[in-house]
PDB file of all heavy atoms in Angstrom:
ATOM      1  N   SER A  24      11.631  18.273 -17.439  1.00 98.00           N
ATOM      2  CA  SER A  24      10.803  17.419 -16.583  1.00 98.00           C
ATOM      3  C   SER A  24       9.414  18.006 -16.387  1.00 98.00           C
ATOM      4  O   SER A  24       8.598  17.435 -15.667  1.00 98.00           O
ATOM      5  CB  SER A  24      11.491  17.232 -15.226  1.00 98.00           C
ATOM      6  OG  SER A  24      11.824  18.480 -14.663  1.00 98.00           O
ATOM      7  N   ASP A  28       6.741  16.916 -13.752  1.00 98.00           N
ATOM      8  CA  ASP A  28       6.899  17.509 -12.413  1.00 98.00           C
ATOM      9  C   ASP A  28       5.954  18.683 -12.166  1.00 98.00           C
ATOM     10  O   ASP A  28       5.907  19.222 -11.070  1.00 98.00           O
ATOM     11  CB  ASP A  28       8.365  17.818 -12.070  1.00 98.00           C
ATOM     12  CG  ASP A  28       8.967  18.972 -12.838  1.00 98.00           C
ATOM     13  OD1 ASP A  28       8.221  19.733 -13.478  1.00 98.00           O
ATOM     14  OD2 ASP A  28      10.215  19.101 -12.777  1.00 98.00           O
ATOM     15  N   GLU A  83      12.118  24.035 -18.696  1.00 97.00           N
ATOM     16  CA  GLU A  83      12.624  22.827 -18.071  1.00 97.00           C
ATOM     17  C   GLU A  83      11.724  22.174 -17.035  1.00 97.00           C
ATOM     18  O   GLU A  83      11.250  21.064 -17.226  1.00 97.00           O
ATOM     19  CB  GLU A  83      13.994  23.116 -17.440  1.00 97.00           C
ATOM     20  CG  GLU A  83      14.898  21.913 -17.417  1.00 97.00           C
ATOM     21  CD  GLU A  83      16.277  22.232 -16.823  1.00 97.00           C
ATOM     22  OE1 GLU A  83      16.953  23.155 -17.318  1.00 97.00           O
ATOM     23  OE2 GLU A  83      16.636  21.557 -15.857  1.00 97.00           O
ATOM     24  N   ASP A  84      11.554  22.845 -15.918  1.00 98.00           N
ATOM     25  CA  ASP A  84      10.846  22.155 -14.836  1.00 98.00           C
ATOM     26  C   ASP A  84       9.864  23.079 -14.133  1.00 98.00           C
ATOM     27  O   ASP A  84       9.726  24.256 -14.482  1.00 98.00           O
ATOM     28  CB  ASP A  84      11.844  21.522 -13.844  1.00 98.00           C
ATOM     29  CG  ASP A  84      12.811  22.539 -13.239  1.00 98.00           C
ATOM     30  OD1 ASP A  84      12.480  23.761 -13.206  1.00 98.00           O
ATOM     31  OD2 ASP A  84      13.903  22.120 -12.800  1.00 98.00           O
ATOM     32  N   HIS A  86       9.960  24.356 -11.227  1.00 98.00           N
ATOM     33  CA  HIS A  86      10.567  25.443 -10.447  1.00 98.00           C
ATOM     34  C   HIS A  86      10.807  26.663 -11.331  1.00 98.00           C
ATOM     35  O   HIS A  86      10.499  27.789 -10.960  1.00 98.00           O
ATOM     36  CB  HIS A  86      11.878  24.976  -9.814  1.00 98.00           C
ATOM     37  CG  HIS A  86      11.822  23.554  -9.370  1.00 98.00           C
ATOM     38  ND1 HIS A  86      10.981  23.148  -8.365  1.00 98.00           N
ATOM     39  CD2 HIS A  86      12.451  22.435  -9.822  1.00 98.00           C
ATOM     40  CE1 HIS A  86      11.114  21.827  -8.218  1.00 98.00           C
ATOM     41  NE2 HIS A  86      11.995  21.376  -9.090  1.00 98.00           N
ATOM     42  N   ARG A 110      17.598  25.016  -6.856  1.00 98.00           N
ATOM     43  CA  ARG A 110      16.590  24.043  -7.256  1.00 98.00           C
ATOM     44  C   ARG A 110      16.847  22.687  -6.597  1.00 98.00           C
ATOM     45  O   ARG A 110      15.944  21.860  -6.501  1.00 98.00           O
ATOM     46  CB  ARG A 110      16.580  23.880  -8.779  1.00 98.00           C
ATOM     47  CG  ARG A 110      15.777  24.963  -9.478  1.00 98.00           C
ATOM     48  CD  ARG A 110      15.631  24.628 -10.943  1.00 98.00           C
ATOM     49  NE  ARG A 110      16.909  24.635 -11.625  1.00 98.00           N
ATOM     50  CZ  ARG A 110      17.186  23.957 -12.739  1.00 98.00           C
ATOM     51  NH1 ARG A 110      16.265  23.190 -13.291  1.00 98.00           N
ATOM     52  NH2 ARG A 110      18.368  24.041 -13.310  1.00 98.00           N
ATOM     53  N   ASN A 111      18.087  22.482  -6.159  1.00 98.00           N
ATOM     54  CA  ASN A 111      18.392  21.174  -5.553  1.00 98.00           C
ATOM     55  C   ASN A 111      17.658  20.973  -4.229  1.00 98.00           C
ATOM     56  O   ASN A 111      17.097  19.902  -3.982  1.00 98.00           O
ATOM     57  CB  ASN A 111      19.906  21.032  -5.351  1.00 98.00           C
ATOM     58  CG  ASN A 111      20.656  21.087  -6.670  1.00 98.00           C
ATOM     59  OD1 ASN A 111      20.037  21.016  -7.729  1.00 98.00           O
ATOM     60  ND2 ASN A 111      21.974  21.217  -6.620  1.00 98.00           N
ATOM     61  N   VAL A 114      13.655  21.088  -5.111  1.00 98.00           N
ATOM     62  CA  VAL A 114      12.979  19.887  -5.611  1.00 98.00           C
ATOM     63  C   VAL A 114      12.874  18.825  -4.512  1.00 98.00           C
ATOM     64  O   VAL A 114      11.865  18.123  -4.397  1.00 98.00           O
ATOM     65  CB  VAL A 114      13.680  19.326  -6.875  1.00 98.00           C
ATOM     66  CG1 VAL A 114      15.018  18.660  -6.568  1.00 98.00           C
ATOM     67  CG2 VAL A 114      12.770  18.325  -7.581  1.00 98.00           C
ATOM     68  N   TYR A 318      23.901  16.535  -5.440  1.00 97.00           N
ATOM     69  CA  TYR A 318      22.846  16.343  -6.430  1.00 97.00           C
ATOM     70  C   TYR A 318      23.422  15.919  -7.781  1.00 97.00           C
ATOM     71  O   TYR A 318      24.481  16.393  -8.193  1.00 97.00           O
ATOM     72  CB  TYR A 318      22.051  17.658  -6.594  1.00 97.00           C
ATOM     73  CG  TYR A 318      20.988  17.561  -7.669  1.00 97.00           C
ATOM     74  CD1 TYR A 318      19.743  17.004  -7.383  1.00 97.00           C
ATOM     75  CD2 TYR A 318      21.235  17.993  -8.975  1.00 97.00           C
ATOM     76  CE1 TYR A 318      18.774  16.884  -8.379  1.00 97.00           C
ATOM     77  CE2 TYR A 318      20.272  17.880  -9.962  1.00 97.00           C
ATOM     78  CZ  TYR A 318      19.042  17.324  -9.661  1.00 97.00           C
ATOM     79  OH  TYR A 318      18.092  17.200 -10.641  1.00 97.00           O
ATOM     80  N   LYS A 320      21.714  15.051 -11.886  1.00 98.00           N
ATOM     81  CA  LYS A 320      20.459  15.138 -12.637  1.00 98.00           C
ATOM     82  C   LYS A 320      19.770  13.785 -12.753  1.00 98.00           C
ATOM     83  O   LYS A 320      18.564  13.706 -12.998  1.00 98.00           O
ATOM     84  CB  LYS A 320      20.712  15.729 -14.028  1.00 98.00           C
ATOM     85  CG  LYS A 320      19.452  16.252 -14.746  1.00 98.00           C
ATOM     86  CD  LYS A 320      18.802  17.408 -13.989  1.00 98.00           C
ATOM     87  CE  LYS A 320      17.637  18.024 -14.734  1.00 98.00           C
ATOM     88  NZ  LYS A 320      17.950  19.266 -15.421  1.00 98.00           N
ATOM     89  N   MET A 322      18.783  12.165 -10.561  1.00 98.00           N
ATOM     90  CA  MET A 322      17.709  12.099  -9.561  1.00 98.00           C
ATOM     91  C   MET A 322      16.372  12.590 -10.092  1.00 98.00           C
ATOM     92  O   MET A 322      15.332  12.330  -9.487  1.00 98.00           O
ATOM     93  CB  MET A 322      18.094  12.914  -8.331  1.00 98.00           C
ATOM     94  CG  MET A 322      19.231  12.292  -7.571  1.00 98.00           C
ATOM     95  SD  MET A 322      19.601  13.337  -6.174  1.00 98.00           S
ATOM     96  CE  MET A 322      21.219  12.728  -5.811  1.00 98.00           C
ATOM     97  N   GLN A 323      16.406  13.301 -11.198  1.00 98.00           N
ATOM     98  CA  GLN A 323      15.154  13.725 -11.813  1.00 98.00           C
ATOM     99  C   GLN A 323      14.324  12.510 -12.242  1.00 98.00           C
ATOM    100  O   GLN A 323      13.119  12.615 -12.429  1.00 98.00           O
ATOM    101  CB  GLN A 323      15.461  14.624 -13.010  1.00 98.00           C
ATOM    102  CG  GLN A 323      14.254  15.148 -13.736  1.00 98.00           C
ATOM    103  CD  GLN A 323      14.618  16.266 -14.691  1.00 98.00           C
ATOM    104  OE1 GLN A 323      14.869  17.388 -14.266  1.00 98.00           O
ATOM    105  NE2 GLN A 323      14.677  15.967 -15.977  1.00 98.00           N
ATOM    106  N   LYS A 326      10.830  10.826 -10.272  1.00 98.00           N
ATOM    107  CA  LYS A 326       9.421  11.220 -10.165  1.00 98.00           C
ATOM    108  C   LYS A 326       8.455  10.348 -10.945  1.00 98.00           C
ATOM    109  O   LYS A 326       7.437   9.907 -10.406  1.00 98.00           O
ATOM    110  CB  LYS A 326       9.262  12.683 -10.580  1.00 98.00           C
ATOM    111  CG  LYS A 326       9.866  13.598  -9.549  1.00 98.00           C
ATOM    112  CD  LYS A 326       9.913  15.028  -9.988  1.00 98.00           C
ATOM    113  CE  LYS A 326      11.026  15.734  -9.265  1.00 98.00           C
ATOM    114  NZ  LYS A 326      12.392  15.232  -9.641  1.00 98.00           N
TER     115      LYS A 326
HETATM  116  N1  LIG B  27      14.081  19.128 -12.347  1.00 84.42           N
HETATM  117  C1  LIG B  27      15.131  18.848 -11.422  1.00 84.42           C
HETATM  118  C2  LIG B  27      14.855  17.528 -10.717  1.00 84.42           C
HETATM  119  O1  LIG B  27      13.769  17.034 -10.813  1.00 84.42           O
HETATM  120  C3  LIG B  27      15.206  19.929 -10.411  1.00 84.42           C
HETATM  121  C4  LIG B  27      16.556  20.150  -9.830  1.00 84.42           C
HETATM  122  C5  LIG B  27      17.502  20.637 -10.866  1.00 84.42           C
HETATM  123  N2  LIG B  27      18.731  21.018 -10.309  1.00 84.42           N
HETATM  124  C6  LIG B  27      19.781  21.319 -11.109  1.00 84.42           C
HETATM  125  N3  LIG B  27      20.858  21.669 -10.495  1.00 84.42           N
HETATM  126  N4  LIG B  27      19.716  21.246 -12.391  1.00 84.42           N
HETATM  127  O2  LIG B  27      15.707  16.933 -10.102  1.00 84.42           O
END
Side-chain angles (χ1 to χ4, degrees):
S24 53
D28 71 13
E83 210 178 304
D84 57 23
H86 323 295
R110 278 189 295 155
N111 298 348
V114 72
Y318 177 83
K320 197 63 175 259
M322 292 179 198
Q323 181 167 284
K326 289 172 206 66

